[in-house]
């Protein structure tokens, strides 16, 4: 009987290369534990949600949302736990049908191309134009209003339609003149002989006055302040009402009326062409 090895000793040694290697998820979990990291720490470092980290370590790649995202998560987690990601990605491809065909670059470029923005109506320009129109209209209205105001003041001074350029214009005063109570010599000399011209002055105080032409048309109705004067002209007759006749001095057809009016007295007067005669 020969001495030899027993049948058990003659069995081949096991081939470690053929042993089942750990799954992708198991390998990541073991590397994380070996690195002394928790799932929360890995999630915070990689910004991969905790639920997805747990699912990958359990070899459940459905929460990843597809193979492309699963490969990205595997690569990110492998680097976080200091593993080479390429063998794990190759193992994932072998277990899940291989790497998908690359997507043509042209469609992606077309999808990412920025579409030109559709331009709507230029409301800013329209608003600016509207504001300019409004400002122009307001300016034009103010200008016309000033002209009409000048015309009204000329009527208040006693001008009548048809008198035209023969009416004596009252010069504009930039500063209030000292009350003199008497018209200038030029104003008296300019009184035409074929019309009646009445100048009312208030050198001694203010007075309410009313003036009408021969047709009864109102030439002026208001308060004459101290130092002010008004000149009225008509083709035949001017009717006056003086609220405080004592504060008034009258010049009719270039001549001063010497009547003595009492302070506070109300006087109704009528003047015509020729010599001043109160009626």
């Amino acid at each position: 009987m020969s001495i030899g090895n027993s049948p058990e000793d003659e069995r081949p040694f096991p081939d470690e290369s053929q042993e089942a290697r750990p799954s992708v998820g198991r390998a990541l979990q073991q590397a994380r534990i070996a690195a002394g990291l928790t799932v929360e720490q890995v999630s915070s470092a990689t910004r991969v949600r905790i639920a997805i980290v747990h699912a990958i370590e359990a070899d459940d790649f459905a929460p990843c949302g597809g193979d492309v995202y699963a490969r990205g998560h595997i690569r990110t987690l492998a680097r976080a736990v200091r593993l080479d990601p390429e063998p794990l990605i190759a193992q994932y491809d072998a277990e899940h049908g291989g790497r998908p065909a690359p997507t043509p670059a042209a469609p992606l470029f077309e999808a990412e191309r920025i579409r030109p923005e559709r331009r709507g109506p230029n409301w800013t320009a329209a608003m600016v134009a509207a504001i300019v129109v409004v400002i122009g209209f307001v300016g034009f209205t103010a200008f016309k209003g000033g002209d009409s105001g000048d015309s009204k003041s000329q009527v208040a001074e006693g001008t009548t339609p048809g008198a035209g350029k023969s009416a004596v214009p009252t010069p504009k005063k930039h500063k209030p003149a000292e009350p003199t109570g008497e018209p200038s010599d030029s104003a008296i000399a300019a009184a035409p002989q074929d019309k009646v011209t009445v100048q009312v002055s208030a050198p001694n105080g203010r007075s309410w006055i009313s003036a009408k032409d021969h047709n009864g048309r109102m030439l002026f109705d208001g308060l004459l302040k101290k130092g002010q004067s008004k000149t009225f002209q008509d083709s035949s007759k001017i009717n006056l009402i003086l609220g405080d006749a004592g504060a008034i001095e009258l010049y009719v057809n270039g001549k001063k009326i010497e009547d003595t009016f009492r302070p506070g007295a109300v006087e109704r007067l009528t003047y015509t062409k020729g010599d001043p005669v109160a009626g």
Side-chain angles (χ1 to χ4, degrees), residues 155 158-164 166-167 195 213-215 217 219 233-235:
V155 171
T159 57
T160 58
S166 60
K195 297 180 185 296
D213 63 7
H214 71 283
N215 291 322
R217 184 173 63 91
L219 301 178
Q233 193 174 81
D234 188 68
S235 60

Side-chain angles (χ1 to χ4, degrees), residues 105-130:
L108 287 177
F109 178 78
E110 293 292 335
E112 294 178 359
R113 181 176 297 172
I114 299 176
R115 296 181 179 179
E117 183 181 358
R118 296 181 62 183
R119 295 183 177 272
N122 193 343
W123 295 111
T124 302
M127 291 179 64
V128 171

Side-chain angles (χ1 to χ4, degrees), residues 153-154 157 167-177 183-184 186-187 199 229-231:
S153 65
Q154 292 178 3
E157 292 296 332
V168 179
T170 301
K172 295 183 180 179
K173 299 179 181 180
H174 298 286
K175 295 182 180 180
S184 63
S186 60
Q199 183 170 8
S229 64
K230 293 287 182 181
T231 301

Side-chain angles (χ1 to χ4, degrees), residues 55-93:
I56 291 176
E57 289 187 352
D59 291 314
D60 181 9
F61 299 97
C64 295
D67 292 339
V68 175
Y69 297 104
R71 291 184 183 88
H73 291 332
I74 291 171
R75 180 177 285 104
T76 301
L77 295 177
R79 290 173 179 170
V81 298
R82 301 180 181 86
L83 280 182
D84 183 6
E86 298 306 326
L88 294 177
I89 294 175
Q91 182 178 350
Y92 175 84
D93 290 339

